[in-house]
Amino acid sequence: VPATVDAADPGALWGYGAYQAVARLAPGATPEQALAELRSHEEEVRLANPLWTPNAGMWDEAQVVSLQAARGQWVRGPLLILLGAVGVVLLVVCANVANLLLSRGLARSRDLAVRSALGAGRGRLAAEQLLEAGVLAVAGSAVGLLLASVGISALRPLLPPELPGVEQIGLDARAIGVTAGLALVTAMLAGALPALRSARRAPASSLRESGRSGSAGRGRRRTTRGLVAAQMAAAVVLVVSAGLLARSLAALNRVDPGFDVEGRVTARVHLAPGLPGDAEARAIVMEELQQALAADPALGSVALASTIPFGSEDEFVATFIEGVTDDPNSLPVARHHRVSPEFFDVTGIELVRGRGFTSADRVGTPLVAVIDEAFADTHYGGEDPIGRIVRYPWRGAPDMEIIGVASSTRHGDLSGERDPTYYTPMAQMGFGLLQHAVVVADVGAGDGAGPAVRGQAGRAPAGRGPVATAAETSAALGAVMRRVRDLDSRMAVSELLTYEDRLAASLVGTRLMALLLLLFAGTALVLGCVGVYGVAAFSVRERLREIGVRMAMGASADGIRRDVLREGLMMALPGGALGLLIAAFATRALEGLLFGVARFDAVTFVAVPLVLAVAALLAVYVPAMRATRVDPAIVLRGEG
C-alpha cells in the first residue's frame, strides 16, 4: 500500500524504523559520491526533527552499498567458508587419486619398461596414463553429477528462504561446465605425478628393480607417505571445523531463551483497513480479537503483542529515564513490546518484582511500564526501579511509571545478548503506526499456573511449557485462522508458526553450516582412509617376500599384524598432527559463527586425533590381516 506522509504532521514518522531506502545511482555517479551527498544533508535533517534534536554525526555510520551486496552480506562469509571446504575436499581427491595412480603405475613398472625398451616413446606412455586418469574423471563426474542432483533436492528444503537466489540453486549448464572443467583439471593434476615419474625412469633401471622387494625405493615411499599425510591433514582441518560448529550448535540448543516455547503457537493478524485511529477504538478491537481466540477450545490462554521475541519485526525506542539520562538529545535505545495483560502468563516470562498489567491499565488511566532485568541492571544498577519514571522521546510525552520487573529474554538470536527491554499495555498506547497484532497462545488448557515469581512458585525449566501433540498444534493453528475469519473477514493471518519453529528458524544457518561441514569432513576423512588403505595394501604386496622370510624364521602372525598396523598409523598420524596445527589457524574464520565454545576447544582438539587414529586403524586392518595369511613356502618359491 502507498506510504503516506502528512505534511501537517512532519514528526509523525520520526523514530519509526520500518522503512529502508533504495536508490538508483545517477549515470556516472559512484557510491562514494552518493554517500558524500547524503551526509551533506545531515545537518538540515537533524535540525528539522520536531520531536528532539539528535546529536551531530547521526549518519557517521551510514553506508551506500549495492543492493546485491546488501542482500547477500550475511551469507557471504559462510558461503566462502563452505567454498573453502569444497576446495579442501578437492585437494584430498587429487592427492588420493595421484597416490592410487602412482601405486598402479609402479605395479606396472615392468610392463612399461618392456614397452619402452621395445620402442614406445616416453611421451606416449605418459599420455596413456593421463588418458586413464581422464577416463576415471569422466566416469566419476557422471556419478558425481547424479549424486549432486539428488543432494541438492535433499538440501533445498533445509535452506533458509531468505537466502539470496535460493530458488535458483540447482544444476544448470554453467554448473555442469564448471564441474567438467574441474574434473578434467583434477584428472590431469592427479595423473601428472605418476606419468612424469614413469617417463623419467630408465627402462633398464625399472627392469632391474622390478624383481626385487622395495623396488620403488625411498623416493617413492616418501612421495606416497607425503600424499597420505596431506590427505589426513586436510581431513583433520575439516573435522575440527565441523566439530567446533557441531558443539556450538549443541550449546545454542541448550540456551534458555527466557520464555516458554513448547506448546505455544503464534500468528500475525493484519488488522482490517479503515480501522479507527484513536487508541480507545483500537483497544476495543484488540479485546474482541483476544476474546474470540480465547473462546476456542483448541486454545488455552491467548495474548496479543505488537512484537514478540524471535518475531519477524523488532521495535526499538529511544527512552528518557528520569534521574538517569541528562541530555534529552542523547537517549539510550531499548526494545519495546506493547502487550496485552495475558502476555507474561502465556509466554511464561517471570515477574521478578512488582506486578504485571491488568485490564484496568487502559486508555485514560496513568501510564505504566514493566522493564526487564537487563534494563534495570543497565540503568539503575542495584537500585529499586519500582515507581521510577520513563518517557517516550518526543517533547511533551507523558510519564510512565515502572510497576514491575520481568526476567530478560533473548530476541532473534540465541547467541546474542539480553538487550534492555520494556513493556507497555497495548490498551493504553494502541498500535500507533502498526497495522497488525501478533498472537501468542498455548495449546489446550495450559497449566494454569500463571506467571511465576522467582523464589515463590518457581518456573518450569526454560522452554518447557505444556507438551502438545502434532494434531493439537495443527488444530490450534487452524483455530486461530478460523476465529479471525469469523470475527472480521477483512483481517488477514500470516506467519502461523509454533514458537519452536521460530527458534528453529533462528538456528537454520548454523545448523546448515554444521551439516555441510560434517558432510565435507566425513567425505575427506573417508577419502583419506582410502588413501591409507591403498598405500598399506600396496606396501604389503611389495613386502610379500620379506614377510614370507620373517614368518619362515619364526615371526608370529601377531607380530606381522602389529608391524603393518604401526606402519599405517605412522602414515596417518604425522598428517593428523600437521592438520591440527593448520586447524589452529584456519578456524579463525569460524570465530564469528561459534557460541559457547572456544577456537581451541580442548574436547574437539583431543577427540579429533582419537577419531583419526581409529579411522586409520580400520583402514589398515584389512591389509594387516592379509599379511598374516601369507604362506612362506608359496611366496619364497614365487620369488626365487
Side-chain angles (χ1 to χ4, degrees):
V1 296
T4 59
V5 178
D6 185 0
D9 187 12
L13 293 179
W14 279 101
Y16 185 58
Y19 289 108
Q20 295 179 332
V22 182
R24 184 188 298 275
L25 288 177
T30 65
E32 291 74 18
Q33 292 172 330
L35 179 59
E37 182 174 346
L38 174 67
R39 287 178 172 169
S40 70
H41 296 285
E42 176 185 351
E43 190 65 9
E44 61 184 273
V45 174
R46 186 176 73 88
L47 297 177
N49 189 336
L51 304 179
W52 76 94
T53 304
N55 288 338
M58 63 177 185
W59 286 350
D60 284 349
E61 298 182 1
Q63 296 180 345
V64 176
V65 298
S66 71
L67 183 60
Q68 181 178 7
R71 292 180 65 226
Q73 61 184 351
W74 67 273
V75 296
R76 183 175 292 110
L79 287 180
L80 287 175
I81 292 173
L82 291 177
L83 183 62
V86 172
V88 171
V89 174
L90 186 61
L91 290 176
V92 173
V93 170
C94 288
N96 202 342
V97 175
N99 220 347
L100 296 177
L101 289 177
L102 179 61
S103 298
R104 185 171 185 272
L106 290 170
R108 297 173 56 200
S109 59
R110 181 180 180 84
D111 173 58
L112 294 175
V114 170
R115 292 173 62 188
S116 179
L118 293 176
R122 296 182 179 181
R124 181 173 181 178
L125 294 177
E128 180 181 324
Q129 294 185 69
L130 290 176
L131 180 61
E132 290 179 356
V135 172
L136 288 175
V138 171
S141 297
V143 177
L145 287 172
L146 177 62
L147 294 175
S149 178
V150 174
I152 290 173
S153 299
L155 280 175
R156 189 178 286 114
L158 303 178
L159 298 176
E162 62 271 18
L163 180 68
V166 64
E167 68 283 350
Q168 300 172 0
I169 295 176
L171 288 180
D172 57 13
R174 292 173 299 175
I176 295 174
V178 169
T179 302
L182 283 175
L184 182 61
V185 171
T186 300
M188 295 303 101
L189 290 175
L193 180 62
L196 291 174
R197 186 175 180 84
S198 64
R200 287 198 303 264
R201 292 180 65 81
S205 174
S206 296
L207 288 171
R208 282 195 305 269
E209 294 180 354
S210 62
R212 298 198 301 268
S213 176
S215 60
R218 294 181 179 179
R220 195 276 302 172
R221 292 183 184 275
R222 284 197 300 268
T223 301
T224 56
R225 288 174 181 271
L227 289 173
V228 169
Q231 294 177 62
M232 300 310 292
V236 164
V237 172
L238 289 182
V239 173
V240 168
S241 300
L244 290 175
L245 272 183
R247 283 180 52 76
S248 181
L249 180 60
L252 283 171
N253 282 321
R254 293 192 299 268
V255 169
D256 178 4
F259 53 89
D260 289 337
V261 174
E262 292 184 359
R264 268 60 177 179
V265 297
T266 65
R268 177 186 290 260
V269 178
H270 303 264
L271 305 183
L275 189 68
D278 63 282
E280 188 169 4
R282 291 197 174 202
I284 294 174
V285 172
M286 293 304 103
E287 288 177 358
E288 292 176 349
L289 175 60
Q290 194 272 339
Q291 291 169 4
L293 293 171
D296 196 289
L299 301 170
S301 301
V302 176
L304 302 181
S306 58
T307 54
I308 60 174
F310 290 87
S312 58
E313 287 186 359
D314 292 314
E315 182 181 359
F316 294 88
V317 177
T319 307
F320 179 82
I321 307 172
E322 191 174 70
V324 177
T325 53
D326 299 325
D327 185 355
N329 297 320
S330 180
L331 301 178
V333 174
R335 291 182 180 271
H336 182 216
H337 300 295
R338 286 168 272 188
V339 302
S340 67
E342 301 81 9
F343 183 78
F344 298 108
D345 184 5
V346 174
T347 59
I349 296 175
E350 301 178 42
L351 289 174
V352 182
R353 290 195 295 275
R355 69 173 180 88
F357 305 132
T358 69
S359 58
D361 298 315
R362 54 188 311 107
V363 175
T365 62
L367 302 185
V368 294
V370 171
I371 64 174
D372 74 342
E373 291 177 295
F375 191 107
D377 293 341
T378 301
H379 301 300
Y380 295 110
E383 299 180 10
D384 185 3
I386 302 298
R388 305 289 285 269
I389 299 299
V390 295
R391 287 194 295 269
Y392 290 120
W394 50 84
R395 296 186 180 99
D399 293 347
M400 292 185 291
E401 180 186 353
I402 297 175
I403 62 172
V405 178
S407 60
S408 297
T409 66
R410 299 183 187 271
H411 292 77
D413 184 1
L414 288 171
S415 63
E417 297 295 327
R418 297 174 185 260
D419 299 327
T421 304
Y422 70 101
Y423 306 83
T424 56
M426 181 182 297
Q428 286 190 332
M429 300 305 296
F431 273 72
L433 293 170
L434 296 176
Q435 297 296 324
H436 68 269
V438 181
V439 176
V440 183
D442 58 10
V443 175
D447 53 19
V453 177
R454 190 172 298 159
Q456 298 178 18
R459 178 176 170 226
R464 297 292 184 265
V467 178
T469 66
E472 289 173 333
T473 300
S474 178
L477 293 173
V480 173
M481 180 75 76
R482 183 177 61 256
R483 289 288 181 172
V484 171
R485 183 181 63 241
D486 292 344
L487 178 65
D488 190 335
S489 61
R490 297 174 300 166
M491 291 184 178
V493 181
S494 65
E495 299 180 28
L496 283 160
L497 297 167
T498 67
Y499 231 136
E500 289 173 307
D501 289 338
R502 288 187 180 274
L503 261 67
S506 72
L507 297 176
V508 65
T510 303
R511 184 176 290 112
L512 186 62
M513 277 285 293
L515 173 64
L516 291 177
L517 271 183
L518 282 171
L519 178 63
F520 295 146
T523 302
L525 187 60
V526 169
L527 289 173
C529 291
V530 169
V532 172
Y533 166 81
V535 173
F538 186 76
S539 176
V540 169
R541 180 179 176 182
E542 277 190 312
R543 296 171 56 196
L544 284 178
R545 180 178 176 82
E546 172 201 334
I547 294 172
V549 170
R550 290 177 58 189
M551 296 187 72
M553 298 293 293
S556 66
D558 288 341
I560 298 294
R561 187 185 304 110
R562 281 195 301 270
D563 286 347
V564 176
L565 290 175
R566 186 185 308 111
E567 182 180 3
L569 283 177
M570 292 308 298
M571 285 191 293
L573 293 185
L578 177 62
L580 288 176
L581 181 62
I582 297 174
F585 296 95
T587 51
R588 182 177 300 175
L590 295 176
E591 278 188 307
L593 301 175
L594 300 181
F595 173 80
V597 59
R599 269 180 56 208
F600 302 108
D601 177 55
V603 174
T604 303
F605 276 80
V606 170
V608 168
L610 295 178
V611 172
L612 174 66
V614 172
L617 284 174
L618 291 176
V620 79
Y621 182 76
V622 173
M625 293 303 296
R626 185 177 299 164
T628 62
R629 299 191 185 101
V630 170
D631 188 328
I634 296 177
V635 171
L636 292 175
R637 282 199 304 269
E639 287 289 322

